Amino acid sequence: MKKGIVLIMVVIFCISTALPIGATDSTSLPDGHFATAEALFQYWESTYPPQYPDYISGVWTENGTAYPLTFAVTDDAAGREGKKEVLRLLADDDSVIFVEREFSRNLLWSAMEDLSQYLTQDLGLCGLGVYDMENRVGVEILQSYAKHEPTLELLREMRARYGDVFTVTYTDGYTTYTLDISDAHGKRGEMPWTWLGTLLGIGLLAATGAVAIGYRRHVLVMQTPTGEVEAPAGAGKKLSCRQVKRVLKESEIAPDPGLEEKIRAKVDR
């Protein structure tokens, strides 16, 4: 009896651990299993971390919506077969647009993960991320480390390991400025209308930020000249694959109609 219980427990454990792996295997699924490219994209995103077929180079939207989605496939035989596989799985072929790119998204992600371990070291790395549409790993380095030999050696090592997947740019760093608005003109309690307009703009941006469209996959972290690590945001016209998922989940948010009155009341005080 005890042996039977143990056997059942082993079978249940094996099934449960196999489910996440099976979630990324689409070869056994029937034709037209996914209604649209959005559904297939969500299927790939259903595991953590997300796992895509090796023939996928990236996923994004050209118009800020989930219809259609752009699937980048590798520019080789695997990519051509992958395109056929995607079309077989979709009931609506018009829900996907295909483009070709050089590198697999899985390769880019692995390269970024490998390089990210050096962010905390004294090598000047301050920005890192996968750029889906450019099909590259973007690397930002402080300008003061442009000729730093350990940094250059790391870049040579990474290129030897992953090939030409990195785009390196140099920056002077990132600084955050603060200002006491009440003392902006030397008199506490007085605020010009230009500052009111600024506050209104900030309020509107905060209210509509949930539907802002980013141009590319944002960098993982950025390091300020003081050594603080931050996670900055970007903006643009296109969405990367993770941002597509966020757009699908979030609904449009309208600014509070009473926002301006509330700010004016604060100013009058």
Side-chain angles (χ1 to χ4, degrees), residues 103 107-119 121 123 125 128 137 139 141 150-168:
F103 300 109
L107 174 64
L108 297 179
W109 188 266
S110 295
M112 183 192 69
E113 289 284 283
D114 194 359
L115 190 56
S116 67
Q117 64 182 306
Y118 299 97
L119 283 165
Q121 298 186 19
L123 296 169
L125 296 179
L128 182 63
V137 176
V139 182
I141 299 175
T151 302
L152 297 177
E153 178 60 28
L154 173 63
L155 294 178
R156 287 192 290 266
E157 178 185 341
M158 285 295 161
R159 284 197 174 96
R161 189 178 305 175
Y162 294 101
D164 190 24
V165 303
F166 299 101
T167 298
V168 179

Side-chain angles (χ1 to χ4, degrees), residues 52-74:
Y52 292 80
D54 283 335
Y55 58 77
I56 289 292
S57 296
V59 178
W60 63 85
T61 174
E62 297 283 350
N63 58 12
T65 73
Y67 193 99
L69 289 181
T70 298
F71 283 7
V73 297
T74 53

Side-chain angles (χ1 to χ4, degrees), residues 160-211:
R161 189 178 305 175
Y162 294 101
D164 190 24
V165 303
F166 299 101
T167 298
V168 179
T169 57
Y170 293 92
T171 178
D172 291 330
Y174 304 87
T175 305
T176 302
Y177 294 93
T178 59
L179 176 66
D180 186 351
I181 296 178
S182 62
D183 289 332
H185 286 263
K187 294 183 180 180
R188 184 172 298 275
E190 295 183 9
M191 183 184 298
W193 286 107
T194 55
W195 280 108
L196 177 59
T198 301
L199 287 177
L200 287 173
I202 293 173
L204 290 173
L205 287 174
T208 58
V211 293

Side-chain angles (χ1 to χ4, degrees), residues 68-166:
L69 289 181
T70 298
F71 283 7
V73 297
T74 53
D75 185 15
D76 54 17
R80 290 186 287 273
E81 290 300 316
K83 180 179 177 180
K84 295 178 183 178
E85 176 71 8
V86 168
L87 292 176
R88 181 187 71 79
L89 292 171
L90 297 183
D92 182 1
D93 291 349
D94 292 333
S95 66
V96 64
I97 298 173
F98 289 104
V99 297
E100 293 181 347
R101 293 292 187 268
E102 183 178 2
F103 300 109
S104 165
R105 184 180 182 276
N106 291 337
L107 174 64
L108 297 179
W109 188 266
S110 295
M112 183 192 69
E113 289 284 283
D114 194 359
L115 190 56
S116 67
Q117 64 182 306
Y118 299 97
L119 283 165
T120 57
Q121 298 186 19
D122 185 24
L123 296 169
L125 296 179
C126 60
L128 182 63
V130 172
Y131 291 64
D132 287 56
M133 286 154 278
E134 291 85 346
N135 196 224
R136 290 294 187 273
V137 176
V139 182
E140 291 193 6
I141 299 175
L142 294 176
Q143 185 65 48
S144 57
Y145 286 77
K147 297 182 180 181
H148 188 55
E149 185 56 35
T151 302
L152 297 177
E153 178 60 28
L154 173 63
L155 294 178
R156 287 192 290 266
E157 178 185 341
M158 285 295 161
R159 284 197 174 96
R161 189 178 305 175
Y162 294 101
D164 190 24
V165 303
F166 299 101

